[in-house]
Each structure stands twice: as structure tokens, then as C-alpha cells.
Amino acid sequence: MIKKIIGLQWILGCCLFFASTNISAQEVLSVRDQAALTDELLQERFEHLLPELMKKTNIDCWVIISREYNEDPVLKTMLPAEWLSARRRTMLVFALNAATGKVEKHAVARYAVGSSIPGSWDMQKHPNQWGALVHLLTGKNVKKIGLNYSQDYGHADGINKTEYDLFMQYLPDSLRKKIVSAEPLAVAWLETRTEREIALYPKLIQLTRNIIREGFSEKIITPGVTTTDDLVWWFRQRIRDAGMDTWFHPTVSIQRSDSVTFNHLQAFSNRPRSQTILPGDLLHVDIGITYLRLNTDIQEHAYLLKPGESDVPVSLSQAFEKANRLQDLLTEQFKEKRTGNQALAGALAKAAAENIKATIYSHPIGFHGHAAGPTIGLWDQQQGVPGSGDYPFNLNTAYSIELNAATYIPEWKKEVRIMLEQDGIFTREGFRYLGGRQRKIWLVPGNPSVREN
């Protein structure tokens, strides 16, 4: 039995704000308890979410096939916590029973896949695994057989050529004509958060932001000595030491009063590896943790006080306020069935009307950092993103509100980009941030309390 500590009551309790910036051992579960909670959440998704999604997408049979170390991205989210990969060739079949409304789960494999998916391969009757799969499907009388292939989403394009060709080779014509792309179902499975996952997310975000607060402090930064690369590796080590992982290598960058101008390509792919941090620098961090198979993605700023200063220069504070306003203009666009491209166009038009020089590149977040669902711009595609940008907003999808606003700073004689990324959820009540958002630039030394909403 799963310990009481990992029930819903514990999850809700973990959503409370922790005053200390240090992460105590009690805040992150042991690996064993993480596994137990992960399996419990997965079981709920199978029992309650999957039937609903199969009905909604009108796909009554879903077949997922992967070999060890070459797993379908969707299959990776369905394995029990003790399985770090598929085993040999793993075939999963989910069939919606029209009479009961429940999903019948089968593993056509040598092993049951945890306690959620029983084994359904009688090797005595069907020595050939593909023959066993066809036999199972023939007895289901299904209307559609969904396979994970997709042009617009790599997440939903998990069946490789070998598996597809072999499957088609063994399928009789009567079943082959029922094959459809499972893209709508795969994307829905990946993007939809359950109530318990939504309740858990604020804890993940607070853990991430607490690490940022600790890194952006005089405890870690010594001006004139500490480099951006030092800070990057401190963040990564801090996350690992806390019992979590990161889904991408963190980045730390500097904007300062010099002749260097902002360039998107440099900012996203070719930034200087190591710069010494100095008083008067505007620091930026991009960081995300992976915990309980869920991911965060956060970007925040800090300012290093120069001698005689006690606060952020007014011009930088005003620039930051514009970026906060841009966040509002984007999240106001969140309406069910509106597409990512429509939200992008609407927010950029509103920003232009308010003289905000905006770039928006927001995305869903969940089982993946850049998750399945509607793409809301890319930094180099501000006119819209074909395919994933045409996907509509659905309820209970988490998002990283990622964007930047450019403002001319007179004393620096150049533009500064305030680059923010904060995570939230779109539900029937609208969009809300799950762990607050940065409302004021951090100060080093001496971080003040941050206003959040």
C-alpha cells in the first residue's frame, strides 16, 4: 500500500509556500516514494482520464509499440516507475469497451507492464508476438486502430518504420483499413493534467523558484569572481543534490551597459559560455526541473547593485513592468477552442497598441518541457506556426508563458530584453499561474520579498 504521506492530502499540503530558500529533505520525496506516487498518478490516468480521451477523440483502440531503448515518447509516460525503458519489444493495446465505458488494457509482451497493464500474450498458443497482437485485435471488433504517427508533433510520432512495416505486414486487410493516426489521442494524453497533477504542480514550481532565489543571492554570487558558467553548474548540481533532475542544461546570461546588442539567435543558441558577473549587471536564468515525471520551465531576472545603489534603476523596473503587462495580454487570449496562432496574433496586436515591443514563444508543459498542445509562437515565427500553432486550447493544459519585451534604456543607450517564463494552467475558470510569477527584479545582495499573483 502507498504510504499516507503521498495521498492527495499530502500533495495539497506541499503546495504551501515555504519561507526558506533552502530545500529541506522533507520537501522532496525519496526515490522510493517518488516511484510510488508516480505509479498512483499513472493508475488514475489510466482508469479515469484515458476512457474520457478515447471517447472524445473517437478512437476506440490505441496500439503503441516500442523496443527497448527506442521508446515511443507516449509509451515512456505509461511505464511503471520501476521500468526505466521498454523490455525487448513492448506492445500496448488500449481498447475502449462501448458497453462498460472502460478501457481494457493489454500488454502483448513477455511481462505484465507493472500492475496497471496485465500481460496478454499466450506464448504457447501464439509463439509469434505479432501473431498474438493480431489475434487480440481481431477479437475486439473495434472501429479504429490508432497508431502514433504525426506530421506536426514529434511527441505523437513514436512508431518507427520497422515497427510500422512489420505491423502492416501481419495485419489482415480487415484490420489494416481501420488504421488511423492517433495524433489527437496522443496529444490529448500528453497535454491533459489531472486534478492531482494540477494540485501537485505549484510545489514543483516553488521548488524551482526557490533554487533560483538561492542562486541569485550573495551566498552564491561574488561580483568580479563568479561567472555565468559557475552559476549554471551550481544550478544543475543544486537540482541534482535536491533529489530531482533537469530536462535541459540551465542557462545564465547578462545584459549590461556596454555596446553589445540583443540578438535572438545568440540568446537562444550561441550565448557566451562564461562571463564574469559584475555590479550593474542584469542577470537572466532559464531553468526547469523534472520531478514525478512533470516538468517546470522558469525564467527570471536579478540585478547586481552597484556601490551606492539600494534598488533596481527605475528604467529597468519600468522595462520589467512592460514584460509583466505582456504576460497579461497573452493570458487574456486563452479561450477554449481558440488556436495558438490566434492567441499569438491577438496578444501581439494588443501589445503593439500599447507600444510594447513584444516577442512571444509560449508552449504547453507537462510530461515534456516543450510539450504537446498548441504552440503560441516561436521566437523566429511571430506570424504563426503552421501545424502545432493551429491546434486549439483545451482545458486542464499547463503552459509556460514564455516571452520577452524590449525597452530602450537611456542610461545604457540601448534596448534591454526582459525575458520571462512562468508556468500556469488553463482551466474552465481561465488561466492562472500555478506558483506565482516574478513581479520585481531580484536584488543581489539582499533579495526583497517578491510580489506574486
Side-chain angles (χ1 to χ4, degrees), residues 256-403:
R256 57 172 50 137
S257 180
D258 59 16
S259 61
V260 177
T261 57
F262 181 89
N263 177 279
H264 274 104
L265 184 59
Q266 179 176 332
F268 290 113
S269 65
N270 194 30
R271 66 178 57 82
R273 278 192 59 84
S274 189
Q275 294 176 281
T276 301
I277 299 170
L278 300 171
D281 284 349
L282 179 65
L283 288 179
H284 167 265
V285 65
D286 188 355
I287 195 170
I289 67 168
T290 300
Y291 183 54
L292 300 170
R293 289 193 177 164
L294 298 173
N295 296 278
T296 65
D297 199 0
I298 307 291
Q299 295 182 43
E300 298 192 349
H301 285 276
Y303 177 77
L304 269 75
L305 292 169
K306 295 189 293 186
E309 288 184 323
S310 60
D311 205 349
V312 177
V314 172
S315 55
L316 289 180
S317 292
Q318 292 173 340
F320 197 89
E321 290 172 2
K322 284 189 177 181
N324 278 159
R325 177 58 182 157
L326 181 57
Q327 290 174 320
D328 294 336
L329 295 177
L330 176 55
T331 57
E332 288 169 3
Q333 296 292 318
F334 277 65
K335 306 291 182 185
E336 195 173 2
K337 303 307 178 185
R338 183 173 290 177
T339 68
N341 285 334
Q342 290 171 336
L344 173 68
L348 288 176
K350 293 282 188 180
E354 296 188 19
N355 295 316
I356 298 174
K357 189 174 180 180
T359 309
I360 295 172
Y361 33 95
S362 299
H363 56 86
I365 194 164
F367 286 135
H368 302 96
H370 296 149
T375 300
I376 313 169
L378 296 170
W379 67 265
D380 57 346
Q381 290 181 250
Q382 292 295 285
Q383 301 304 312
V385 182
S388 61
D390 297 316
Y391 194 84
F393 290 120
N394 289 306
L395 300 179
N396 300 330
T397 299
Y399 291 87
S400 279
I401 303 303
E402 184 178 9
L403 45 76

Side-chain angles (χ1 to χ4, degrees), residues 52-309:
E52 173 188 327
L53 298 180
M54 294 184 76
K55 293 174 188 174
K56 180 179 178 181
T57 58
N58 196 30
I59 296 175
D60 57 348
C61 184
W62 194 11
V63 177
I64 305 175
I65 307 168
S66 289
R67 281 178 290 175
E68 192 171 17
Y69 307 134
N70 191 30
E71 290 80 15
D72 181 313
V74 173
L75 182 135
K76 288 282 283 186
T77 71
M78 294 176 165
L79 297 177
E82 293 181 3
W83 285 38
L84 303 185
S85 63
R87 295 183 179 175
R88 300 195 189 181
R89 177 176 275 120
T90 298
M91 300 174 174
L92 303 183
V93 176
F94 303 98
L96 182 64
N97 187 312
T100 65
K102 295 183 178 181
V103 173
E104 299 168 354
K105 302 181 290 295
H106 304 272
V108 184
R110 287 172 171 80
Y111 320 95
V113 180
S115 60
S116 296
I117 309 177
S120 299
W121 182 11
D122 187 335
M123 299 178 67
Q124 298 299 318
K125 290 184 178 180
H126 303 283
N128 183 288
Q129 190 176 12
W130 293 102
L133 176 60
V134 170
H135 175 78
L136 176 66
L137 294 174
T138 302
K140 290 296 182 183
N141 192 30
V142 295
K143 297 178 181 178
K144 295 180 180 179
I145 300 173
L147 294 181
N148 288 346
Y149 58 86
S150 168
Q151 181 174 334
D152 295 328
Y153 292 99
H155 320 75
D157 196 35
I159 188 165
N160 64 37
K161 187 176 188 304
T162 297
E163 309 303 325
Y164 181 85
D165 287 348
L166 285 171
F167 191 33
M168 293 300 108
Q169 176 184 322
Y170 279 90
L171 275 182
D173 290 341
S174 60
L175 292 180
R176 192 179 295 118
K177 65 184 181 183
K178 297 182 179 182
I179 296 294
V180 299
S181 168
E183 178 192 286
L185 179 54
V187 172
W189 168 265
L190 295 173
E191 76 166 337
T192 307
R193 306 272 64 82
T194 64
E195 288 186 14
R196 292 187 71 187
E197 289 170 340
I198 294 172
L200 179 63
Y201 238 121
K203 172 64 176 178
L204 276 70
I205 295 167
Q206 198 61 59
L207 287 170
T208 310
R209 300 191 71 206
N210 282 350
I211 290 173
I212 292 174
R213 295 175 189 190
E214 189 176 358
F216 279 170
S217 72
E218 60 272 28
K219 173 183 173 183
I220 306 302
I221 298 174
T222 301
V225 176
T226 307
T227 69
T228 52
D229 214 34
D230 292 335
L231 199 49
V232 162
W233 284 106
W234 180 90
F235 279 126
R236 188 156 182 186
Q237 189 67 50
R238 188 71 181 89
I239 292 168
R240 183 70 60 85
D241 291 345
M244 302 175 292
D245 209 342
T246 182
W247 60 275
F248 67 96
H249 190 56
T251 63
V252 174
S253 59
I254 293 173
Q255 294 180 87
R256 57 172 50 137
S257 180
D258 59 16
S259 61
V260 177
T261 57
F262 181 89
N263 177 279
H264 274 104
L265 184 59
Q266 179 176 332
F268 290 113
S269 65
N270 194 30
R271 66 178 57 82
R273 278 192 59 84
S274 189
Q275 294 176 281
T276 301
I277 299 170
L278 300 171
D281 284 349
L282 179 65
L283 288 179
H284 167 265
V285 65
D286 188 355
I287 195 170
I289 67 168
T290 300
Y291 183 54
L292 300 170
R293 289 193 177 164
L294 298 173
N295 296 278
T296 65
D297 199 0
I298 307 291
Q299 295 182 43
E300 298 192 349
H301 285 276
Y303 177 77
L304 269 75
L305 292 169
K306 295 189 293 186
E309 288 184 323

